[in-house]
Amino acid sequence: MFVNLAGAQTYDTITILSDGGVEGTDKIHRDGDIYTFTGDIYGFIMVEKSGITIDGAGYTFQGVDYTRGIVLVGHAGGSFNPCSDVVVKNLRIYNSGGRSIYTASNNNSFIDNTFDSSGIHLVGGGGEGNLIKRNFFNNSYITIDYNSGGKDVVTENDFVSSGIFVTLSRPPQVEGNYWSNYTTKYPNAKEIGNSGIWDTPYDYDIMPNSSHGTDPCVDNNPLVHPVSFEISNDPLVENESEPFPTTLGITAILVVVAISIGLLVYFKKHKYASSF
Protein backbone atom coordinates (compact mmCIF):
# COMPACT_ATOMS: atom_id res chain seq x y z
CA MET A 1 0.00 0.00 0.00
CA PHE A 2 1.45 3.35 -1.02
CA VAL A 3 1.35 6.48 1.10
CA ASN A 4 1.15 9.89 -0.52
CA LEU A 5 3.97 11.81 1.11
CA ALA A 6 3.48 15.04 -0.83
CA GLY A 7 1.12 16.41 1.80
CA ALA A 8 4.20 17.56 3.66
CA GLN A 9 4.92 21.26 3.20
CA THR A 10 8.64 20.72 2.68
CA TYR A 11 10.74 18.07 1.00
CA ASP A 12 14.22 16.76 1.64
CA THR A 13 17.09 17.69 -0.67
CA ILE A 14 19.50 14.82 -0.09
CA THR A 15 23.01 14.23 -1.39
CA ILE A 16 25.10 11.08 -1.15
CA LEU A 17 28.47 12.75 -1.49
CA SER A 18 31.45 11.51 -3.47
CA ASP A 19 33.32 11.02 -0.18
CA GLY A 20 30.50 8.78 1.10
CA GLY A 21 28.79 11.21 3.44
CA VAL A 22 25.05 11.87 3.48
CA GLU A 23 23.57 15.36 3.66
CA GLY A 24 19.97 16.51 4.01
CA THR A 25 18.32 13.67 5.94
CA ASP A 26 18.55 11.42 8.98
CA LYS A 27 16.51 8.70 7.24
CA ILE A 28 19.41 7.07 5.41
CA HIS A 29 21.85 5.01 7.46
CA ARG A 30 25.29 4.41 6.03
CA ASP A 31 27.27 1.22 6.67
CA GLY A 32 30.29 1.27 4.41
CA ASP A 33 28.97 1.37 0.84
CA ILE A 34 25.43 0.34 1.86
CA TYR A 35 22.88 3.13 2.37
CA THR A 36 19.66 1.91 4.01
CA PHE A 37 16.39 3.81 4.37
CA THR A 38 15.10 4.02 7.94
CA GLY A 39 11.84 5.78 7.03
CA ASP A 40 9.73 7.10 4.16
CA ILE A 41 11.27 9.96 2.18
CA TYR A 42 9.64 12.71 0.15
CA GLY A 43 12.33 14.58 -1.71
CA PHE A 44 15.20 14.54 -4.14
CA ILE A 45 18.32 12.37 -3.88
CA MET A 46 21.47 13.32 -5.80
CA VAL A 47 23.98 10.47 -5.89
CA GLU A 48 27.60 11.51 -6.42
CA LYS A 49 29.26 8.23 -5.43
CA SER A 50 29.72 5.10 -7.58
CA GLY A 51 29.84 1.53 -6.31
CA ILE A 52 27.17 1.83 -3.62
CA THR A 53 23.94 0.05 -2.70
CA ILE A 54 20.79 1.99 -1.83
CA ASP A 55 18.51 -0.35 0.13
CA GLY A 56 14.98 0.98 0.55
CA ALA A 57 14.27 -1.65 3.24
CA GLY A 58 10.61 -1.62 2.17
CA TYR A 59 10.07 2.10 2.76
CA THR A 60 8.44 4.52 0.31
CA PHE A 61 10.23 7.15 -1.74
CA GLN A 62 8.31 9.93 -3.50
CA GLY A 63 10.19 12.32 -5.77
CA VAL A 64 9.47 16.02 -5.91
CA ASP A 65 8.48 16.21 -9.57
CA TYR A 66 9.13 14.62 -12.96
CA THR A 67 12.80 15.63 -13.04
CA ARG A 68 13.78 15.13 -9.41
CA GLY A 69 13.83 11.65 -7.95
CA ILE A 70 16.91 9.51 -7.38
CA VAL A 71 19.51 10.90 -9.79
CA LEU A 72 22.66 8.91 -10.49
CA VAL A 73 24.25 11.84 -12.28
CA GLY A 74 26.22 13.46 -9.52
CA HIS A 75 27.82 16.88 -9.75
CA ALA A 76 30.74 16.31 -7.43
CA GLY A 77 32.91 19.39 -7.26
CA GLY A 78 30.57 21.18 -9.64
CA SER A 79 31.45 18.94 -12.59
CA PHE A 80 29.38 16.35 -14.44
CA ASN A 81 30.10 12.98 -12.86
CA PRO A 82 27.75 10.16 -13.87
CA CYS A 83 27.74 7.36 -11.30
CA SER A 84 27.97 3.66 -12.12
CA ASP A 85 27.89 0.32 -10.28
CA VAL A 86 25.00 1.55 -8.14
CA VAL A 87 22.33 -0.88 -6.87
CA VAL A 88 18.85 0.37 -5.93
CA LYS A 89 16.71 -2.31 -4.27
CA ASN A 90 13.78 -2.99 -1.92
CA LEU A 91 12.23 0.43 -2.48
CA ARG A 92 8.60 1.42 -2.98
CA ILE A 93 8.59 4.33 -5.40
CA TYR A 94 5.35 6.30 -5.57
CA ASN A 95 3.99 9.02 -7.85
CA SER A 96 7.38 10.28 -8.93
CA GLY A 97 7.01 10.58 -12.70
CA GLY A 98 9.16 9.13 -15.44
CA ARG A 99 12.46 10.08 -13.80
CA SER A 100 11.94 8.45 -10.42
CA ILE A 101 15.33 6.90 -11.09
CA TYR A 102 17.48 8.70 -13.65
CA THR A 103 20.92 7.75 -14.94
CA ALA A 104 23.23 8.41 -17.85
CA SER A 105 25.66 5.70 -16.81
CA ASN A 106 26.07 1.93 -17.05
CA ASN A 107 26.47 -1.13 -14.84
CA ASN A 108 23.71 -0.08 -12.44
CA SER A 109 21.13 -2.53 -11.09
CA PHE A 110 17.51 -1.86 -10.11
CA ILE A 111 16.17 -4.94 -8.34
CA ASP A 112 13.11 -5.86 -6.24
CA ASN A 113 11.49 -2.42 -6.32
CA THR A 114 7.86 -1.42 -6.74
CA PHE A 115 7.01 1.49 -9.03
CA ASP A 116 3.58 3.12 -8.83
CA SER A 117 2.96 6.00 -11.29
CA SER A 118 6.74 6.27 -11.54
CA GLY A 119 9.54 5.06 -13.78
CA ILE A 120 13.17 4.58 -14.74
CA HIS A 121 14.86 6.83 -17.30
CA LEU A 122 18.06 5.59 -18.93
CA VAL A 123 19.69 8.13 -21.18
CA GLY A 124 22.92 7.87 -23.16
CA GLY A 125 25.54 5.27 -22.55
CA GLY A 126 26.96 2.61 -24.81
CA GLY A 127 28.82 0.36 -22.40
CA GLU A 128 27.76 -2.75 -20.52
CA GLY A 129 24.24 -1.55 -19.86
CA ASN A 130 22.01 -1.59 -16.77
CA LEU A 131 20.02 -4.40 -15.18
CA ILE A 132 16.30 -3.98 -14.42
CA LYS A 133 15.15 -7.16 -12.71
CA ARG A 134 12.28 -8.42 -10.54
CA ASN A 135 10.47 -5.10 -10.22
CA PHE A 136 6.73 -4.45 -10.13
CA PHE A 137 5.59 -1.66 -12.46
CA ASN A 138 2.06 -0.29 -12.03
CA ASN A 139 1.09 2.52 -14.39
CA SER A 140 4.83 3.09 -14.76
CA TYR A 141 7.37 3.06 -17.58
CA ILE A 142 10.98 2.43 -18.46
CA THR A 143 12.23 5.10 -20.87
CA ILE A 144 15.42 4.61 -22.86
CA ASP A 145 16.71 7.30 -25.18
CA TYR A 146 19.93 8.42 -26.82
CA ASN A 147 21.38 5.04 -25.94
CA SER A 148 23.37 3.29 -28.66
CA GLY A 149 24.51 0.34 -26.55
CA GLY A 150 21.46 -1.91 -26.57
CA LYS A 151 22.89 -3.88 -23.65
CA ASP A 152 20.41 -2.87 -20.96
CA VAL A 153 18.65 -5.99 -19.63
CA VAL A 154 14.96 -6.03 -18.60
CA THR A 155 13.95 -9.39 -17.14
CA GLU A 156 11.58 -11.03 -14.62
CA ASN A 157 9.52 -7.88 -14.08
CA ASP A 158 5.75 -7.45 -13.79
CA PHE A 159 4.27 -4.81 -16.10
CA VAL A 160 0.71 -3.88 -15.09
CA SER A 161 -0.71 -1.15 -17.32
CA SER A 162 2.94 -0.31 -17.92
CA GLY A 163 5.53 -0.55 -20.67
CA ILE A 164 8.83 0.47 -22.22
CA PHE A 165 9.50 3.54 -24.37
CA VAL A 166 12.55 3.55 -26.64
CA THR A 167 13.56 6.57 -28.71
CA LEU A 168 16.72 7.30 -30.66
CA SER A 169 18.20 4.14 -29.16
CA ARG A 170 18.81 0.50 -29.71
CA PRO A 171 16.22 -1.55 -27.81
CA PRO A 172 17.18 -3.25 -24.56
CA GLN A 173 17.40 -7.01 -24.13
CA VAL A 174 13.93 -7.95 -22.89
CA GLU A 175 13.24 -11.54 -21.78
CA GLY A 176 10.84 -13.30 -19.43
CA ASN A 177 8.57 -10.55 -18.14
CA TYR A 178 4.88 -10.58 -17.21
CA TRP A 179 2.55 -8.27 -19.18
CA SER A 180 -0.93 -7.67 -17.77
CA ASN A 181 -2.50 -7.04 -21.20
CA TYR A 182 -0.99 -10.13 -22.82
CA THR A 183 -4.15 -12.24 -23.13
CA THR A 184 -6.08 -9.25 -24.48
CA LYS A 185 -3.44 -8.68 -27.10
CA TYR A 186 -2.94 -12.37 -27.92
CA PRO A 187 -6.22 -14.16 -27.07
CA ASN A 188 -5.23 -17.33 -28.96
CA ALA A 189 -1.84 -17.79 -27.31
CA LYS A 190 -1.10 -21.04 -25.47
CA GLU A 191 1.30 -21.92 -22.71
CA ILE A 192 4.27 -24.01 -23.83
CA GLY A 193 3.69 -27.21 -21.87
CA ASN A 194 3.99 -26.37 -18.19
CA SER A 195 6.85 -23.94 -18.76
CA GLY A 196 5.02 -20.81 -17.61
CA ILE A 197 5.91 -19.17 -20.93
CA TRP A 198 3.49 -18.16 -23.68
CA ASP A 199 4.04 -19.49 -27.21
CA THR A 200 3.65 -16.06 -28.84
CA PRO A 201 6.32 -13.38 -28.29
CA TYR A 202 5.10 -10.10 -26.82
CA ASP A 203 5.70 -7.14 -29.12
CA TYR A 204 5.46 -4.25 -26.70
CA ASP A 205 4.63 -0.68 -27.63
CA ILE A 206 7.49 1.70 -28.31
CA MET A 207 6.48 5.35 -28.27
CA PRO A 208 3.44 4.92 -30.55
CA ASN A 209 3.54 7.16 -33.64
CA SER A 210 7.10 8.20 -32.83
CA SER A 211 8.92 9.79 -35.77
CA HIS A 212 12.34 8.80 -34.42
CA GLY A 213 12.19 5.17 -35.45
CA THR A 214 13.80 2.24 -33.66
CA ASP A 215 14.49 -1.46 -34.01
CA PRO A 216 11.65 -3.90 -33.18
CA CYS A 217 11.35 -4.63 -29.45
CA VAL A 218 10.08 -8.06 -28.47
CA ASP A 219 9.88 -10.18 -25.33
CA ASN A 220 10.43 -13.66 -26.76
CA ASN A 221 9.60 -15.45 -23.52
CA PRO A 222 6.65 -13.62 -21.94
CA LEU A 223 5.53 -15.10 -18.63
CA VAL A 224 2.09 -16.62 -18.05
CA HIS A 225 2.02 -15.69 -14.37
CA PRO A 226 3.30 -12.64 -12.47
CA VAL A 227 6.67 -12.79 -10.79
CA SER A 228 6.14 -13.30 -7.05
CA PHE A 229 8.31 -11.36 -4.64
CA GLU A 230 7.68 -9.42 -1.47
CA ILE A 231 9.34 -6.24 -0.24
CA SER A 232 9.69 -6.05 3.52
CA ASN A 233 11.18 -3.55 5.94
CA ASP A 234 11.93 -6.38 8.33
CA PRO A 235 15.64 -7.17 7.84
CA LEU A 236 15.02 -10.73 9.02
CA VAL A 237 12.57 -11.47 6.21
CA GLU A 238 13.91 -12.41 2.79
CA ASN A 239 12.29 -10.67 -0.18
CA GLU A 240 10.96 -13.86 -1.71
CA SER A 241 9.92 -15.68 1.46
CA GLU A 242 6.36 -16.79 2.07
CA PRO A 243 4.22 -14.53 4.33
CA PHE A 244 3.87 -17.51 6.69
CA PRO A 245 6.28 -20.33 5.78
CA THR A 246 4.55 -23.65 5.15
CA THR A 247 7.19 -25.61 7.04
CA LEU A 248 6.72 -23.42 10.10
CA GLY A 249 2.95 -23.93 9.98
CA ILE A 250 3.28 -27.70 9.72
CA THR A 251 5.79 -27.77 12.58
CA ALA A 252 3.46 -25.76 14.80
CA ILE A 253 0.56 -28.13 14.08
CA LEU A 254 2.67 -31.20 14.87
CA VAL A 255 3.80 -29.67 18.16
CA VAL A 256 0.19 -28.96 19.20
CA VAL A 257 -0.87 -32.52 18.28
CA ALA A 258 2.05 -34.01 20.23
CA ILE A 259 1.21 -31.97 23.33
CA SER A 260 -2.47 -32.95 23.09
CA ILE A 261 -1.65 -36.66 22.86
CA GLY A 262 0.77 -36.36 25.78
CA LEU A 263 -1.84 -34.72 27.99
CA LEU A 264 -4.45 -37.32 27.04
CA VAL A 265 -2.12 -40.18 27.99
CA TYR A 266 -1.19 -38.44 31.24
CA PHE A 267 -4.77 -37.94 32.39
CA LYS A 268 -5.83 -41.46 31.40
CA LYS A 269 -2.89 -42.94 33.29
CA HIS A 270 -3.64 -40.99 36.44
CA LYS A 271 -7.36 -41.72 36.22
CA TYR A 272 -6.75 -45.47 36.02
CA ALA A 273 -4.07 -45.31 38.74
CA SER A 274 -6.51 -43.66 41.17
CA SER A 275 -9.07 -46.45 40.71
CA PHE A 276 -6.74 -49.10 42.18
Side-chain angles (χ1 to χ4, degrees), residues 103-106 121-130 143-152 166-172 214:
T103 181
S105 59
N106 293 284
H121 190 173
L122 309 179
V123 57
E128 293 302 315
N130 299 281
T143 301
I144 301 174
D145 60 0
Y146 298 99
N147 188 334
S148 61
K151 294 183 179 181
D152 298 308
V166 180
T167 62
L168 295 174
S169 303
R170 291 186 61 188
T214 185

Side-chain angles (χ1 to χ4, degrees), residues 156-159 176-179 182 191 194-198 221-228:
E156 298 179 28
N157 302 283
D158 292 339
F159 288 91
N177 299 277
Y178 171 79
W179 308 86
Y182 183 90
E191 182 179 359
N194 295 317
S195 66
I197 298 173
W198 292 112
N221 295 293
L223 301 180
V224 174
H225 305 291
V227 178
S228 297

Side-chain angles (χ1 to χ4, degrees), residues 101-273:
I101 298 177
Y102 176 76
T103 181
S105 59
N106 293 284
N107 300 320
N108 301 299
S109 300
F110 312 112
I111 304 172
D112 291 342
N113 302 291
T114 299
F115 294 82
D116 190 282
S117 300
S118 302
I120 298 174
H121 190 173
L122 309 179
V123 57
E128 293 302 315
N130 299 281
L131 174 64
I132 300 172
K133 182 176 181 179
R134 225 166 40 243
N135 301 282
F136 180 87
F137 293 92
N138 178 51
N139 190 32
S140 301
Y141 292 86
I142 299 169
T143 301
I144 301 174
D145 60 0
Y146 298 99
N147 188 334
S148 61
K151 294 183 179 181
D152 298 308
V153 175
V154 181
T155 185
E156 298 179 28
N157 302 283
D158 292 339
F159 288 91
V160 178
S161 300
S162 302
I164 303 173
F165 290 159
V166 180
T167 62
L168 295 174
S169 303
R170 291 186 61 188
Q173 301 172 29
V174 181
E175 291 289 336
N177 299 277
Y178 171 79
W179 308 86
S180 65
N181 66 337
Y182 183 90
T183 54
T184 300
K185 194 169 185 177
Y186 304 103
N188 297 319
K190 305 293 183 183
E191 182 179 359
I192 302 174
N194 295 317
S195 66
I197 298 173
W198 292 112
D199 63 357
T200 303
Y202 182 87
D203 187 354
Y204 54 88
D205 297 331
I206 314 155
M207 290 295 278
N209 304 317
S210 172
S211 61
H212 298 307
T214 185
D215 295 333
C217 293
V218 177
D219 187 337
N220 288 307
N221 295 293
L223 301 180
V224 174
H225 305 291
V227 178
S228 297
F229 70 95
E230 179 68 23
I231 295 177
S232 174
N233 57 10
D234 183 349
L236 300 180
V237 178
E238 294 294 333
N239 287 339
E240 295 182 1
S241 63
E242 297 175 343
F244 184 77
T246 302
T247 53
L248 179 60
I250 293 174
T251 301
I253 292 172
L254 291 176
V255 170
V256 171
V257 171
I259 293 173
S260 299
I261 293 174
L263 290 173
L264 180 62
V265 171
Y266 174 86
F267 284 117
K268 282 187 175 181
K269 180 179 178 180
H270 283 263
K271 177 181 177 182
Y272 293 147

Side-chain angles (χ1 to χ4, degrees), residues 37-59:
F37 277 43
T38 60
D40 297 333
I41 291 177
Y42 169 51
F44 167 52
I45 302 177
M46 174 69 76
V47 180
E48 297 180 350
K49 183 174 175 59
S50 296
I52 67 171
T53 295
I54 299 173
D55 186 346
Y59 288 103

